[in-house]
Amino acid sequence: MRWPDDDDVVLDAQTTAAAMVYLREIKRGNSPSIPLVLDRLCETIVDRRVTGQYWEAFEEQFGVTDIVNFFMHCPEEIQPSLGKAYHFIQEGGFLPTDADEEEEKQVTRARSTLKAAWKEQARSGPLLYAAAIFDEDSDLEWYAPDDDTYLDEAIEFVQDQKRLLTFFGVALFCQRKLVRLLDKAVAEKLRFPRFPDVVTPVNPELGTFDEGQMKILAEYVAPQ
């Protein structure tokens, strides 16, 4: 969901999750049978693809989620663009009107940070955004292979075909809308994940900007 085009990270996540499940079951007095060969485990330990805990790495991905959020809510007649998204987010477009200093620090991001996030995580953007707004599982965006806090919920989620297809359907809807709204040259450079044919778009019925947000957007000046 977070690194769909990086096979090494996916391998690391799978191995980490399997090891975590094994340790949890051993502590419960069970003897789980997990197909985790020693060389794969050793490789993951020696050559970690994600530094620190996965959820810490998740925090670096909020910027690209904000960018997708902008494209999903911005009125299409205004012709949303990456430049407008950077301006809107940097100026606190998603900041609550009653936000305190700490909330402002968390939500407001510099243009350089947003550009870096887009460069590194654009392909994951629709999936990350779908996880953030998925009403049927509000904690989905925090599921991590090295954290057993949501393990039971994660197992229940992947075993529920309807919920799983709904989630991927929302992601597919957002991905298609993003591709349609992005500059053609920008969109062509991105290799978004290809969803199985069984997945069909699900419209999350998102709203649009309020008056204050439209005012921030109106202040945008395109670079010369």
Side-chain angles (χ1 to χ4, degrees), residues 21-66:
V21 171
Y22 180 83
L23 289 174
R24 189 183 80 152
E25 292 306 306
I26 286 294
K27 291 177 182 178
R28 291 180 172 182
N30 301 323
S31 299
S33 177
I34 297 178
L36 192 62
V37 295
L38 184 60
D39 59 343
R40 178 169 174 178
L41 180 59
C42 290
E43 181 184 4
T44 295
I45 293 172
V46 171
D47 187 20
R48 289 304 305 270
R49 277 73 173 188
V50 178
T51 303
Q53 290 188 319
Y54 272 82
W55 68 265
E56 291 175 344
F58 291 177
E59 294 185 357
E60 300 174 2
Q61 300 176 327
F62 289 149
V64 74
T65 305
D66 286 344

Side-chain angles (χ1 to χ4, degrees), residues 8-220:
D8 287 339
V9 175
V10 172
L11 178 67
D12 179 86
Q14 290 173 336
T15 309
T16 300
M20 186 268 292
V21 171
Y22 180 83
L23 289 174
R24 189 183 80 152
E25 292 306 306
I26 286 294
K27 291 177 182 178
R28 291 180 172 182
N30 301 323
S31 299
S33 177
I34 297 178
L36 192 62
V37 295
L38 184 60
D39 59 343
R40 178 169 174 178
L41 180 59
C42 290
E43 181 184 4
T44 295
I45 293 172
V46 171
D47 187 20
R48 289 304 305 270
R49 277 73 173 188
V50 178
T51 303
Q53 290 188 319
Y54 272 82
W55 68 265
E56 291 175 344
F58 291 177
E59 294 185 357
E60 300 174 2
Q61 300 176 327
F62 289 149
V64 74
T65 305
D66 286 344
I67 294 171
V68 177
N69 192 17
F70 172 83
F71 278 92
M72 295 303 106
H73 288 86
C74 183
E76 294 191 29
E77 61 270 18
I78 296 181
Q79 298 181 319
S81 66
L82 285 173
K84 292 176 182 178
Y86 299 151
H87 164 80
F88 181 86
I89 299 166
Q90 181 175 258
E91 296 302 316
F94 290 128
L95 191 67
T97 54
D98 58 348
D100 56 28
E101 187 174 333
E102 183 60 30
E103 288 177 311
E104 184 174 348
K105 190 181 297 183
Q106 292 177 351
V107 176
T108 305
R109 312 187 199 286
R111 179 182 293 261
S112 57
T113 301
L114 293 168
K115 285 186 175 181
W118 178 258
K119 181 179 179 181
E120 295 294 326
Q121 295 291 335
R123 298 184 184 92
S124 306
L127 284 162
L128 297 175
Y129 182 70
I133 66 168
F134 195 58
D135 291 336
E136 296 183 37
D137 193 336
S138 60
D139 292 322
L140 180 59
E141 63 178 329
W142 293 110
Y143 288 1
D146 58 352
D147 181 3
D148 65 358
T149 305
Y150 298 110
L151 179 59
D152 293 327
E153 289 87 344
I155 292 172
E156 181 182 345
F157 174 68
V158 298
Q159 291 179 340
D160 188 330
Q161 186 180 38
K162 183 178 179 180
R163 286 174 65 203
L164 198 61
L165 288 177
T166 300
F167 164 69
F168 283 119
V170 172
L172 178 58
F173 174 90
C174 295
Q175 181 171 294
R176 288 184 175 179
K177 183 174 181 179
L178 187 61
V179 169
R180 176 165 52 82
L181 296 178
L182 281 169
D183 178 86
K184 187 176 181 180
V186 174
E188 288 179 349
K189 291 180 181 179
L190 297 174
R191 293 178 290 106
F192 282 114
R194 182 176 179 180
F195 289 86
D197 293 338
V198 68
V199 177
T200 56
V202 175
N203 188 343
E205 302 295 342
L206 302 170
T208 188
F209 294 150
D210 59 27
E211 185 177 342
Q213 291 173 313
M214 292 298 292
K215 184 177 179 181
I216 292 175
L217 192 54
E219 296 169 351
Y220 169 75

